Amino acid sequence: METDDFAADAALFAHLRAEWQERDPVPAGLIDRMVAAVAVEDLSREYALLTLVEGEYAAVRGESDTSTLQFSDGKTSVLLHVTALEGGDHRIDGWVDAAAHEVQLVQGEREQKSQVGEHGRFAFDGVRTGLTRVRLAVTRDGEASWFQTPQFEI
Amino acid sequence: MYQRPAFLPLPDVATIVDVTSLDEPVTGDPPAGGEPPRWERAGTLFAQWREGDTRAMDELVQLMTPTLWHVVRAYGVDAALAEDVVQTTWLTLVRRHETITDPRAVSGWLTTCARREAWRAGKAQRRADVTDTEVLEPQLPSAESAEASATRSDASQRLWAAVEQLTERCRRLLRVIAFDDRPDYARIAKDMAMPIGSIGPTRQRCLTKLRTLLGDEGVAAYGD
């Protein structure tokens, strides 16, 4: 093959690439979602600790008793609203103000996962009494981070 | 994401057929004065991640996700499924990265994994959708507004019209090769159930067909 042919093929491929990039572009947010998804799976990651900025660690006990905890590292904030349900279980409604991919609720060996919905909302049902922490995979400025809250009692 | 339309001229077909292992990188001069090709940057980032730099993985994902998107979409899977396939590819890398002996092979490993997943997913989707006309719609190029197509150059519109007249197989092969800056013909051949030696000629036939469809103007613009 001649060098000219290579150059001509290369030019044609460059034009084709431009067409596909414009007509079927990478969806908005896909890269951030992939960065976060990989971070969730990457066990070598270290967790950055969020600190309690509002609320008390006191356990929520009575029926229809609620408490609200807010954690932050200065940039990313998480709000947890804990409600005691009939029968002794609890429900946690949460909200995070960063692009979060996945939230985990950790109670000892037990882990629950929740996807984060619109406006950073997530929820856990059937949460038992005990020491609990929440972990989140968050993407900020194209970089993924793992956060976790200190343990709190439910 | 593609800051530069870097295209590495493909080595001769005879050479490519001999290169069957990604662990033996194609030797070639780096582009003069430019940054290293994408597959090489990917290899560097992957090696850094393995040495404990977690941020290098974020960069690798940013670098390679657009390529994987186009490779997967070449198989005609709809957008939602394509996102799943790209994600599966990344998760497979994290879980099985030990199987990659040479970090420089990571780019080829990713595109190969994406092509296989896309092929599998596409086949399952076509089987499931066979009587469902509704689902054919997302696989078609989205209808454009008149405004968007009006701003496109004539050359662009002619090129696209020609692309749409190619066979599905030609379109797929050209798209995969266009976005993979170091295509491994042996693996593409295997994955597309084509004889290894036929990929180069097939690629050439597809390009020739495309040029024919473009007519005289195409020849002037892109060579014959």
Side-chain angles (χ1 to χ4, degrees), chain B residues 138-214:
Chain B
Q139 294 178 30
L140 297 171
S142 54
E144 285 193 300
S145 68
E147 202 180 350
S149 60
T151 58
R152 246 182 216 127
S153 69
D154 286 350
S156 159
Q157 301 204 20
R158 270 197 302 275
L159 178 56
W160 196 249
V163 167
E164 289 191 315
Q165 288 177 67
L166 292 172
T167 62
E168 194 192 331
R169 189 187 228 192
C170 265
R171 262 202 310 276
R172 173 181 303 160
L173 186 65
L174 291 183
R175 190 170 183 180
V176 166
I177 293 173
F179 283 94
D180 194 340
D181 67 352
R182 194 173 147 220
D184 179 331
Y185 280 17
R187 289 201 188 181
I188 292 175
K190 200 168 158 227
D191 295 347
M192 290 193 177
M194 294 162 79
I196 292 174
S198 77
I199 291 278
T202 304
R203 161 185 179 273
Q204 231 34 56
R205 259 201 306 282
C206 293
L207 285 176
T208 303
K209 177 74 178 158
L210 186 60
R211 287 193 168 104
T212 308
L213 288 165
L214 284 165

Side-chain angles (χ1 to χ4, degrees), chain A residues 5 17 25 27 33 35 38 40 56-58 60 69 77 82 84 86-87 97 102 105 125 127-128 140 144 150-151 153:
Chain A
D5 292 340
R17 210 159 42 233
R33 286 196 290 281
V35 167
V38 169
V40 169
E56 286 173 30
Y57 284 123
V60 180
L69 299 168
S77 289
V82 187
E86 279 181 51
D97 67 353
E102 187 177 295
L105 185 86
D125 267 320
V127 180
R128 295 177 198 160
R140 212 161 49 191
Q151 287 202 320
E153 199 189 345

Side-chain angles (χ1 to χ4, degrees), chain B residues 72 77 84-86 88-89 92 112-123:
Chain B
V72 170
V77 293
D84 287 348
V85 171
V86 173
T88 302
T89 303
T92 307
T112 301
C113 180
R115 277 190 284 107
R116 288 178 185 168
E117 282 296 322
W119 175 247
R120 206 175 8 232
K123 215 163 60 177

Side-chain angles (χ1 to χ4, degrees), chain A residues 6 8-10 15-17 19-25 27 30 33-34 38 41-42 45 142-144, chain B residues 2 6-7 10 49 54-55 58 62 69-70 73 83 90 95 152 156 160 175 178-179 204 211 222:
Chain A
F6 281 139
D9 286 359
H15 283 282
L16 286 171
R17 210 159 42 233
E19 291 302 320
W20 272 306
Q21 278 168 354
E22 198 190 313
R23 290 169 191 268
D24 186 20
L30 177 67
R33 286 196 290 281
M34 293 304 109
V38 169
E41 207 58 32
D42 182 358
R45 299 262 167 174
E143 287 192 344
Chain B
Y2 293 97
F7 181 81
L10 293 165
W49 174 68
T54 51
R55 293 293 174 221
D58 296 352
Q62 289 173 33
W69 167 259
H70 287 285
R73 288 284 282 169
E83 291 206 20
W90 283 118
R95 288 171 196 154
R152 246 182 216 127
S156 159
W160 196 249
R175 190 170 183 180
F179 283 94
Q204 231 34 56
R211 287 193 168 104
Y222 309 113

Side-chain angles (χ1 to χ4, degrees), chain A residues 57 106-108 110 128-133 151-154:
Chain A
Y57 284 123
V106 186
Q107 292 185 303
R110 198 161 169 259
R128 295 177 198 160
T129 309
L131 281 176
T132 307
R133 72 163 88 235
Q151 287 202 320
F152 54 92
E153 199 189 345
I154 285 190

Side-chain angles (χ1 to χ4, degrees), chain B residues 101-115:
Chain B
T101 39
D102 183 346
R104 286 174 300 176
V106 72
S107 162
W109 189 97
L110 284 165
T111 51
T112 301
C113 180
R115 277 190 284 107

